[in-house]
Amino acid sequence: MGFQLTGKTILVASVLTLTTSSQGLLTTASKSNGSYRYNFATVPLLAEILKLLISSMLLQRQKHTSPEAARVTRHWRTAVLFLVPSIIYWLHNNVQFVTLKYVDPATYQIMGNLKIVTTGLLLWICLKRQLSLLQWLALALLMIGATVSQVKSGCDTASLLAAPVAGYLFGVLSAFLSAIAAVYTEWVMKRNLDSLYWQNMQLYSFGVAFNALGLTLGDVQQGFEKGVWVFTLFQGYDWVTVLVVANLAFSGLLVSWVMKFADSILKVYATSMAMLVTAVVSVIFFDLAPSLQLVLGILTASISLVLYYINPSVLVETRSSRLPK
Amino acid sequence: MGFQLTGKTILVASVLTLTTSSQGLLTTASKSNGSYRYNFATVPLLAEILKLLISSMLLQRQKHTSPEAARVTRHWRTAVLFLVPSIIYWLHNNVQFVTLKYVDPATYQIMGNLKIVTTGLLLWICLKRQLSLLQWLALALLMIGATVSQVKSGCDTASLLAAPVAGYLFGVLSAFLSAIAAVYTEWVMKRNLDSLYWQNMQLYSFGVAFNALGLTLGDVQQGFEKGVWVFTLFQGYDWVTVLVVANLAFSGLLVSWVMKFADSILKVYATSMAMLVTAVVSVIFFDLAPSLQLVLGILTASISLVLYYINPSVLVETRSSRLPK
């Protein structure tokens, strides 16, 4: 597996599942009458700034508490590697925008599950990670379970199987870009023994820069109609919006930890499970009838989790071989 | 597993899948304008008679070709054991009738998938068959896959989760009766080394008797309005109806073989796969758009099949350990 599934790893992955799940719910709660009263593009920027500040503080603390772990490599060749994820995310956002011209958002969301398998493929091809047949089948089941839960009870589910070819191609491209971003980040975090916090600082610095650039370009495109973003940054913010930013930042820090000390597959499990948790919470909150598809999707994803992570010998032994003779 | 998954076993299971799948399609094809022009209750009777004749002929042939295998135990204590499956099937039909007063046929069909897990449970409890955790999870996945494929794209899928309690209880009872019939038949076929054909003859004799009794009771209830069944047996039959009878008989003989030389789980796989094959053939025949649920159900069931039957060492080894060093 490349890492030990310790209690700490399970805890981090579980918290990541909860914060990822909260993100969707908080974002919905931050809307007033169905639309944002604040500029939503400021949320990722502020989250990047917050992550940068927290990582910087943690690095300072680490220098005092365990100086041997606070390893720092200062070199432009290392720093420039942290530019790449920002570029991939920017590409991904653009591909997403184009894909949504060909398919509806529900179909796009279902296609997004492809990233579960593409992440496995890229880990295997690029990082030479060895997955067993059981683990490949488990990843396929996670993808199936996520998809089953997303198929609406409505009558238009055939749309996925009848999308235009360009829709599929861009959907697959989008799934590969997600996977490339994850696998690349994992590689860059693990390639040397630098402190996680120092690596984060480099990663988030580029994140801040790219987001600021994006906001500026947006202002230019709109001819500065709404003013300059720097001066309207917190316009329309309330405490829920602050929670949205804080939660996004916290999730991001957890993802970095997972990439350094676990792997992209664990992140994929956490975010897929988060989608199911969100669906369950929505059912409870909005007093909906739970759909059979949701139940079946959760069961499938849970079986997938067991198949992927449980010790294979536990899986294979029969009851008689476990009992004392 | 209790039996070797040989080429012959796989062949028999595959043919059983195809004949079971054909059964539904042939039965539909035998209708004229949506209803049967013949008395449908005569089909199982004639199939039982046909199976009895074929088994009798095969036993005669076996006595000449391999007399050591043509073992025959003539004793009322052994014979009476073959009465039980007929009684269970009769009970099952009645429970089905009652269940359908509480739930609609689509929900009943979905509940029927429970027999996949109840069969495993009874094999474990009654016949002390040891299944690994992997095999239990595979059975759960087969049940999930079958259910996913049956969930209609229509808007009334919530009905399963909102059925009356009595509907669930009778549905579970029905699933247990199916499983009891299968596991009991397996036990009775395997409990001694008698020729399969001789065991069949005893089993089908009771089958003929019970079906004849059922038809007679039906006539009595209707006050002999339509005459006596013996004299109207082939009324309304055409060549498709003959195919329905022949196919049902052939399937029954294959099931007996599976029970004697393989097990109830293999039968459960064959019949569940048959349901998916029928769905695919229906999509092709009636030029329907394949539903996403059907695709996901087939994928899940196929993964289940691999997980259940593949050699666990193949499942667990990583690619590097397979390559020569």
Side-chain angles (χ1 to χ4, degrees):
Chain A
M1 200 176 293
F3 69 95
Q4 280 296 313
L5 197 64
T6 60
K8 192 171 182 183
T9 319
I10 294 170
L11 180 69
V12 171
S14 306
V15 177
L16 176 57
T17 302
L18 292 180
T19 58
T20 309
S21 167
S22 309
Q23 193 62 29
L25 298 166
L26 283 172
T27 305
T28 306
S30 74
K31 290 184 186 179
S32 322
N33 303 318
S35 65
Y36 300 113
R37 282 181 50 208
Y38 56 95
N39 180 2
F40 190 75
T42 60
V43 167
L45 172 72
L46 289 171
E48 293 290 318
I49 293 173
L50 187 56
K51 289 190 283 186
L52 183 57
L53 288 175
I54 293 173
S55 297
S56 155
M57 288 189 299
L58 289 172
L59 181 63
Q60 294 312 316
R61 205 193 61 161
Q62 193 180 37
K63 279 181 179 166
H64 289 101
T65 55
S66 49
E68 73 291 346
R71 227 189 84 157
V72 164
T73 307
R74 283 178 219 272
H75 196 289
W76 69 267
R77 275 201 197 164
T78 304
V80 83
L81 292 174
F82 290 92
L83 172 64
V84 176
S86 292
I87 297 174
I88 302 174
Y89 282 120
W90 174 80
L91 268 175
H92 181 259
N93 286 346
N94 284 285
V95 169
Q96 177 173 351
F97 185 76
V98 175
T99 314
L100 285 171
K101 289 184 177 175
Y102 294 96
V103 301
D104 58 282
T107 305
Y108 180 77
Q109 191 195 15
I110 287 179
M111 284 180 174
N113 296 321
L114 269 178
K115 73 168 180 293
I116 294 169
V117 169
T118 52
T119 302
L121 279 176
L122 289 180
L123 267 183
W124 173 49
I125 295 169
C126 303
L127 304 193
K128 307 273 179 282
R129 201 70 48 85
Q130 301 294 344
L131 299 188
S132 65
L133 177 58
L134 184 64
Q135 290 177 315
W136 284 115
L137 293 175
L139 287 185
L141 283 173
L142 180 63
M143 189 171 74
I144 292 168
T147 308
V148 165
S149 76
Q150 288 166 348
V151 173
K152 294 288 175 297
S153 307
C155 308
D156 58 346
T157 52
S159 65
L160 179 72
L161 297 174
V165 176
Y168 291 121
L169 292 179
F170 281 111
V172 171
L173 180 59
S174 177
F176 265 103
L177 284 173
S178 289
I180 291 171
V183 171
Y184 179 89
T185 306
E186 181 180 338
W187 172 77
V188 90
M189 300 303 253
K190 284 178 175 166
R191 66 179 280 279
N192 67 24
L193 293 172
D194 273 10
S195 162
L196 169 64
Y197 309 124
W198 170 241
Q199 294 179 317
N200 275 350
M201 284 177 68
Q202 298 170 84
L203 189 64
Y204 301 145
S205 296
F206 286 115
V208 172
F210 261 74
N211 275 288
L213 188 68
L215 280 168
T216 310
L217 286 177
D219 281 353
V220 170
Q221 277 178 341
Q222 294 182 358
F224 297 97
E225 265 175 34
K226 295 179 184 171
V228 181
W229 63 266
V230 181
F231 303 114
T232 59
L233 198 52
F234 294 100
Q235 214 167 57
Y237 267 55
D238 59 14
W239 65 271
V240 183
T241 323
V242 172
L243 272 183
V244 170
V245 170
N247 193 71
L248 184 61
F250 188 46
S251 301
L253 290 167
L254 292 174
V255 169
S256 281
W257 192 95
V258 167
M259 291 306 190
K260 176 103 177 166
F261 300 113
D263 68 3
S264 313
I265 301 279
L266 191 66
K267 185 202 157 204
V268 156
Y269 268 98
T271 50
S272 304
M273 290 298 177
M275 190 268 294
L276 297 170
V277 171
T278 305
V280 170
V281 172
S282 302
V283 164
I284 298 168
F285 257 77
F286 304 114
D287 203 24
L288 303 169
S291 78
L292 183 56
Q293 287 96 322
L294 179 59
V295 176
L296 294 170
I298 290 170
L299 287 174
T300 308
S302 306
I303 292 176
S304 158
L305 188 68
V306 172
L307 293 178
Y308 194 94
Y309 285 110
I310 211 173
N311 186 336
S313 65
V314 174
L315 217 47
V316 163
E317 71 188 342
T318 54
R319 195 156 178 277
S320 59
S321 58
R322 275 205 302 278
L323 292 173
K325 299 263 164 79
Chain B
M1 201 177 291
F3 69 94
Q4 280 296 314
L5 198 64
T6 60
K8 192 172 182 183
T9 318
I10 294 170
L11 180 69
V12 171
S14 307
V15 176
L16 176 57
T17 303
L18 292 180
T19 59
T20 308
S21 167
S22 309
Q23 194 62 28
L25 298 166
L26 283 172
T27 305
T28 306
S30 75
K31 290 185 185 176
S32 322
N33 303 320
S35 66
Y36 300 113
R37 283 182 50 207
Y38 57 97
N39 179 2
F40 189 75
T42 60
V43 167
L45 172 72
L46 289 171
E48 293 290 317
I49 294 174
L50 188 55
K51 288 190 283 185
L52 183 56
L53 288 175
I54 293 173
S55 298
S56 156
M57 287 190 297
L58 289 172
L59 181 63
Q60 295 312 317
R61 204 193 61 161
Q62 194 180 36
K63 279 181 179 167
H64 289 100
T65 55
S66 49
E68 74 292 345
R71 228 190 83 155
V72 164
T73 307
R74 282 177 220 272
H75 196 288
W76 69 267
R77 276 199 197 163
T78 305
V80 83
L81 293 174
F82 291 93
L83 173 62
V84 176
S86 292
I87 297 174
I88 302 173
Y89 284 120
W90 174 80
L91 268 174
H92 181 258
N93 286 345
N94 283 285
V95 169
Q96 176 173 351
F97 185 76
V98 175
T99 314
L100 285 171
K101 289 185 177 174
Y102 294 97
V103 301
D104 57 284
T107 304
Y108 180 77
Q109 191 195 17
I110 287 179
M111 283 179 174
N113 296 322
L114 269 179
K115 74 168 181 290
I116 294 169
V117 168
T118 52
T119 303
L121 280 175
L122 290 179
L123 267 182
W124 173 50
I125 295 168
C126 303
L127 303 194
K128 306 275 179 284
R129 201 71 47 85
Q130 301 294 345
L131 300 189
S132 65
L133 177 58
L134 184 65
Q135 290 178 315
W136 284 114
L137 293 175
L139 287 185
L141 283 173
L142 180 63
M143 190 171 73
I144 292 169
T147 307
V148 165
S149 76
Q150 286 166 349
V151 174
K152 294 288 174 298
S153 308
C155 308
D156 59 347
T157 53
S159 65
L160 179 72
L161 298 174
V165 176
Y168 291 121
L169 291 179
F170 281 112
V172 171
L173 181 60
S174 178
F176 265 103
L177 284 173
S178 289
I180 291 172
V183 171
Y184 179 88
T185 306
E186 181 178 339
W187 172 77
V188 90
M189 300 303 254
K190 284 178 174 165
R191 66 179 279 279
N192 68 25
L193 293 173
D194 273 10
S195 162
L196 170 64
Y197 309 124
W198 170 241
Q199 294 179 316
N200 276 350
M201 283 177 68
Q202 298 170 83
L203 189 65
Y204 301 145
S205 296
F206 286 113
V208 171
F210 261 74
N211 275 288
L213 188 68
L215 280 167
T216 309
L217 286 176
D219 281 354
V220 170
Q221 278 177 340
Q222 294 180 356
F224 296 99
E225 266 176 32
K226 294 179 184 171
V228 182
W229 63 266
V230 182
F231 303 115
T232 59
L233 199 52
F234 294 101
Q235 214 168 58
Y237 267 56
D238 57 15
W239 65 272
V240 184
T241 323
V242 172
L243 272 183
V244 170
V245 170
N247 193 73
L248 184 61
F250 188 47
S251 302
L253 291 167
L254 292 174
V255 168
S256 282
W257 191 95
V258 167
M259 291 307 189
K260 177 103 177 166
F261 301 113
D263 68 4
S264 313
I265 302 278
L266 191 67
K267 184 202 157 205
V268 156
Y269 268 97
T271 50
S272 303
M273 290 299 176
M275 190 268 294
L276 297 170
V277 171
T278 305
V280 171
V281 172
S282 301
V283 164
I284 298 167
F285 257 75
F286 304 115
D287 203 23
L288 303 168
S291 79
L292 183 56
Q293 286 96 322
L294 180 57
V295 175
L296 295 170
I298 291 170
L299 287 174
T300 308
S302 306
I303 291 175
S304 158
L305 188 68
V306 172
L307 293 178
Y308 194 94
Y309 285 110
I310 211 172
N311 186 336
S313 65
V314 174
L315 217 47
V316 163
E317 71 189 341
T318 53
R319 198 159 177 275
S320 58
S321 58
R322 274 206 303 276
L323 291 173
K325 299 263 165 76

